[in-house]
Amino acid sequence: MVCRKSILIGNFIAAFLVAALIGPRFAGAAEIFSLDESIAFGLKHSPVLKEGEIKVDQADMDIKSQRGQFLPNITTGYAYNQVFSEYRSGYEESDFLDQENNTLSLRVNQPLFAGFENKNRFDRAKLGKAYQATQLDLQRLDLVYQIKTLFYEILKIKYDLSTIAQRIKRLESDLEVARAFSDNRIAPYVYVLQAEADLEEAKQNLWQSQTLLFKNSARLKSLVGLSRDQAMVEFDDRFDVPIDPVAQDLDACMDRALSHRPEMLLFNLQTRMAKKDADIQKGQYYPRVDLDFGIYDTDKEYDGLSSYDYHTDYWTVGVNVRMNLFDGGTAYYQKKRYLLEMDRIATEKTKLKMEIEEAVGVAFNSLKEARKRLVSMEKGLAASQESYNRQKKRFNARIGTISEVLDAQSMLARAESIKSQTLLDCRIYMAQLYHAMGLGQSPSDPSAPGPSGSGQIKPEMDK
């Protein structure tokens, strides 16, 4: 009766696992996302990037606004006033008689020279857009890294669920045998207790993994921008496939990181923006030259003196020159401030360079070590699997004990768990290396997220 009950429980668990792991794939409403599809979907729909995209658009408006400083300023105006004469004596001036004045004017002001201030402000606006675009590239790079990390976690959990299901199946079989031997007094009851404890531990691991799978899937779904009504979503891929090759030369990875990391481009742009700010302040001491042109239409009507009424049209043209001779040193010290800002940026850039080199070195060597562990772990797992199979054969041949089978089963379970963690380590370290190098995908992938050059100008890299 006990054996039959355990078999029924085992069949229920197996059916549950099949429904949990395989069933959703055949549900018509489910949509399956691979890693590349998740990244592409996230880069297009993730709310994390919306703010950065708006800032790029705002910077583009700043460029268009500064472009207007080169164009003429055209103004028009209309003036109407009445003059009331309260008292007069002696010779009468017509300007002091009761009258109505109407004046219509059109003025055009064209800057001819503004100390290069307009040009420098326009160039700085273009640098500002390139800066915001590079900030958006940095957000994309971070988003890709987060997606990859969560995706690999999900793949590991699914891989663990598969191995746990196999482990539960083995433990149920071992438990049934242990109970049969205990009932026939061939083996002590302690082996039944050991098998039951191992089985319950495996079930707890199963439930914990299922909860963690739901939690990480929900996080990834939110990260890539999937809506709430898209409930049936599977994030799927192969977890145990060979890992993509990575550059074997650490120096090449360092060079790529220093030329592709958005933070390095940001510091270069900050330096150039500070230089433009200093040039703008320097331009305060240059002369300003404007061309003015105006057209005026004036109409005067005198109360009761129509012979004095007149209408006149005239135009004016002239050149205005202004020059700031002294402002208390305001522009001079502002210029010095921006030059000091350039020195501060250079110091921060040197610090960042050291941090990038450290991150690349750590990720490169960690990945190298994890790949070696994976090769060793594959051999260890194969040995554990063979050991378990041999112990089962020895036990079935009545030359081994149930204790040896349970010990081999525990060893196999540990090997499976270590392999799963090693596979995750390899993928996480590779994601860290690509992130440290400023790349979203493989270095050979031309579509990899990275500096997009979406600004109006290309950020120059310092040699």
Side-chain angles (χ1 to χ4, degrees), residues 333-388:
Y333 289 113
Q334 281 294 321
K335 173 190 172 184
K336 296 290 288 184
R337 180 187 181 279
Y338 289 121
L339 293 178
L340 291 173
E341 176 70 6
M342 292 173 62
D343 294 337
R344 185 196 68 80
I345 294 172
T347 303
E348 289 290 328
K349 184 178 177 181
T350 301
K351 179 182 176 183
L352 174 65
K353 181 180 178 181
M354 298 173 62
E355 292 175 352
I356 290 176
E357 290 176 345
E358 178 185 356
V360 172
V362 170
F364 184 90
N365 289 289
S366 297
L367 176 60
K368 189 176 180 180
E369 179 270 337
R371 289 168 67 92
K372 291 180 179 179
R373 279 195 289 123
L374 183 59
V375 174
S376 175
M377 193 60 246
E378 290 284 1
K379 297 178 181 179
L381 179 60
S384 298
Q385 182 67 57
E386 184 177 357
S387 174
Y388 176 76

Side-chain angles (χ1 to χ4, degrees), residues 155-414:
L155 293 185
K156 177 187 180 297
I157 296 171
K158 289 191 171 185
Y159 182 84
D160 289 341
L161 285 172
S162 177
T163 58
I164 292 174
Q166 297 176 12
R167 190 184 316 162
I168 289 176
K169 187 176 180 180
R170 293 194 303 263
L171 286 170
E172 288 175 343
S173 175
D174 296 340
L175 176 59
E176 184 178 351
V177 173
R179 281 175 173 164
F181 274 57
S182 176
D183 292 342
N184 294 314
R185 302 184 181 277
I186 300 176
Y189 187 70
V190 66
Y191 294 139
V192 176
L193 297 177
Q194 180 182 348
E196 288 180 343
D198 292 343
L199 179 59
E200 292 303 320
E201 181 181 359
K203 290 179 182 178
Q204 292 174 15
N205 292 336
L206 174 68
W207 298 327
Q208 291 172 354
S209 297
Q210 288 173 340
T211 302
L212 191 58
L213 175 62
F214 174 80
K215 175 180 166 183
N216 285 355
S217 296
R219 289 176 57 196
L220 183 55
K221 179 181 172 183
S222 174
L223 190 62
V224 302
L226 287 166
S227 59
R228 292 179 57 188
D229 57 346
Q230 292 175 292
M232 297 298 294
V233 175
E234 282 271 344
F235 297 101
D236 197 18
D237 223 329
R238 289 285 306 279
F239 187 59
D240 55 347
V241 296
I243 299 175
D244 294 335
V246 68
Q248 300 298 319
D249 187 4
L250 178 58
D251 292 334
C253 293
M254 293 287 187
D255 294 339
R256 184 178 289 273
L258 295 177
S259 62
H260 283 74
R261 278 290 286 265
E263 296 95 322
M264 296 295 292
L265 302 179
L266 288 174
F267 275 122
N268 291 332
L269 287 168
Q270 285 179 345
T271 301
R272 297 169 66 186
M273 291 165 67
K275 178 65 169 57
K276 287 297 178 182
D277 287 330
D279 291 340
I280 291 171
Q281 296 302 320
K282 181 180 177 181
Q284 299 294 322
Y285 294 108
Y286 287 99
R288 259 65 170 170
V289 182
D290 296 332
L291 174 64
D292 282 317
F293 176 79
I295 299 177
Y296 301 88
D297 181 276
T298 302
D299 185 20
K300 285 191 176 184
E301 295 182 358
Y302 293 91
D303 215 6
L305 299 171
S306 59
S307 60
Y308 281 22
D309 296 346
Y310 71 89
H311 180 89
T312 143
D313 294 318
Y314 64 95
W315 59 274
T316 64
V317 63
V319 176
N320 297 324
V321 180
R322 306 184 312 278
M323 187 171 181
N324 184 13
L325 298 179
F326 182 72
D327 64 352
T330 301
Y332 173 79
Y333 289 113
Q334 281 294 321
K335 173 190 172 184
K336 296 290 288 184
R337 180 187 181 279
Y338 289 121
L339 293 178
L340 291 173
E341 176 70 6
M342 292 173 62
D343 294 337
R344 185 196 68 80
I345 294 172
T347 303
E348 289 290 328
K349 184 178 177 181
T350 301
K351 179 182 176 183
L352 174 65
K353 181 180 178 181
M354 298 173 62
E355 292 175 352
I356 290 176
E357 290 176 345
E358 178 185 356
V360 172
V362 170
F364 184 90
N365 289 289
S366 297
L367 176 60
K368 189 176 180 180
E369 179 270 337
R371 289 168 67 92
K372 291 180 179 179
R373 279 195 289 123
L374 183 59
V375 174
S376 175
M377 193 60 246
E378 290 284 1
K379 297 178 181 179
L381 179 60
S384 298
Q385 182 67 57
E386 184 177 357
S387 174
Y388 176 76
N389 294 338
R390 286 178 176 270
Q391 292 298 343
K392 287 284 289 185
K393 289 180 181 179
R394 284 170 48 84
F395 177 77
N396 293 334
R398 301 296 188 269
I399 57 175
T401 64
I402 187 62
S403 176
E404 293 172 336
V405 173
L406 294 175
D407 290 342
Q409 153 60 33
S410 298
M411 185 182 300
L412 178 57
R414 286 194 299 269

Side-chain angles (χ1 to χ4, degrees), residues 52 56 128-138 140 452-455:
V56 173
K129 181 178 179 181
Y131 182 86
Q132 293 299 335
T134 307
Q135 283 276 26
L136 181 59
D137 287 334
L138 179 59
R140 290 193 183 106
S452 62
S454 53

